[in-house]
Amino acid sequence: MLSSATPEGNLLATKRSIVAFKKNQQVKKALLHLYQEGSLTLAKLAELLNTSIPSATQIIDQLTDDGWVNTVGTVSGNNGRRPVLFSLNPAGHYAVILDSNTHGTTVLLVNPLREIIFQQSVDMALEDTPRFSEFLVSLVNEAIAQSDIDKSSIIGVGLSLPGLIDSQHGLNLSYANLALPEQSLTAWLEQQWGLPVFMINDTKATALGEHRFGSSVGKQHALTINIDWGVGLGIIINGEVFHGASGFAGELGHIQVAPQGELCYCGKIGCLDTLTSASSLVKRVQREVQAGQATKLAVFHDDPSQITISHVIQAATQGDTFAIDQLHETGYQLGKGLAIAVTLFNPEIIVIDGVLAEASLFITNSIKLAINKHCLSGFRNDLLVEVTQLNGAAKWLGTHAHVLESLFADT
C-alpha cells in the first residue's frame, strides 16, 4: 500500500481527489438537468452529462439513496421495453422564497418540483432599516412552524428584492441599511437561519423565471421588461442572466428620455420611470381626474388618490377613451426605451411582465409600434414581443431557480 508521504502516494491521493471532484460535479449537473427538464431517462441523462449509461446509473443510484430522486413511471409507447423516467423527489429539499417590495412581502415554501407547499402574504412593505430584516427572520421562522416542515429538510433561502443588488457580495445598495454596516445582508440572514441565502434583484428573478419556465424557454438572447412601480429590464445573454460588472445591469427605467421632464425618485430628471412605471401612470391619471377630465374614473373626482392601476385597466377594458389613451401612450414611451435595449442586445424575444401585463391588450401594440419606428429593420424583423403566460409566478419561479442552480453550481 502506498503511503501518502511518498511522491507516488501524493500522486495517487491527488488523482483520487480529482476523480471525486469530477464525480461531485456530475452529480450536481444531474440535479440541475432534472430540475430544469422535469423528468429524464437514463439514456437522456447520460447524453446530457456526456457520460456512459453505467455512470449515469451510478449517479441516479446515489441520488436515490440520498433522497433526491425517485422513479415516476416509464416513457409512453408500445415498442419494446419502455425506459424508466426519473424525477426529483417532491418530498424534502424545500426552498424558502421571500419576495419583498414597496407594497408587501410574500413567503413561500417550495419543493424541488416547484410546487408551493406553503404561502403567506403580509402587508409589510420593504423598509430600509435593520428592523425589516428582523421581520423577515420572524416571518420565515413562523412560516416553517405553520407548514409543519422539518427545518432540516430546507436547503436554502431565496430573497427577491428591488434595487441595485450585488448578489455576489450579498449587498443591496438601494436598501443599504437592511444589515449592519460591516456585514452583508445575506451573511447576517445566514447566521439567523443557519441556511444558505441567495439574494437576487426582482427583475432578474423574473427574467430567469421566464427563461427557465416561461415564454423565453429555449431562447439564448431575451429581454424581460418588468413594468411595476418602477421599470426594470432583465437581460438573458447566451442563456444566462446578465448581471454586469457589479450586478446592476438592466436599470432601463433610469435612462433619460425627457430632459425637460419630471424629477425621478432617483434624483435625475426625465427618467423612463417618470413616463412608464405604473406609479407614474396612476399619478398622471389622478392629476387629470382632479382637473376635470371626462372619464369613467371621474367617480373618484372628490378623492383621486383612491385611483389605482387596477381602476385604470378596468376603465380601459370598459372602453374608456381616456384610460385607453393613457395606457397606449405609456406603451409607446416604453417601446421607445425598449428600442434602445433592442439595438444594444439584439434579443430574440421581449417578454412583458409586471402589473401592467394585465393591460396587454392596450400596451403591446403600442410597444411594437414604437420598436418598429425606432429600430433598424434588421433588429426587429424576427423579434417576438409577448406578454407573460406565467400569471405572476415568474418572479418566485426565477428566485427558486436561482437558489437551486446556485446550490447545483459546478464550484
Side-chain angles (χ1 to χ4, degrees), residues 323-342:
I324 291 171
D325 287 344
Q326 291 297 314
L327 290 170
H328 172 81
E329 180 61 20
T330 297
Y332 188 81
Q333 294 298 330
L334 183 62
K336 287 172 64 177
L338 282 170
I340 297 172
V342 169

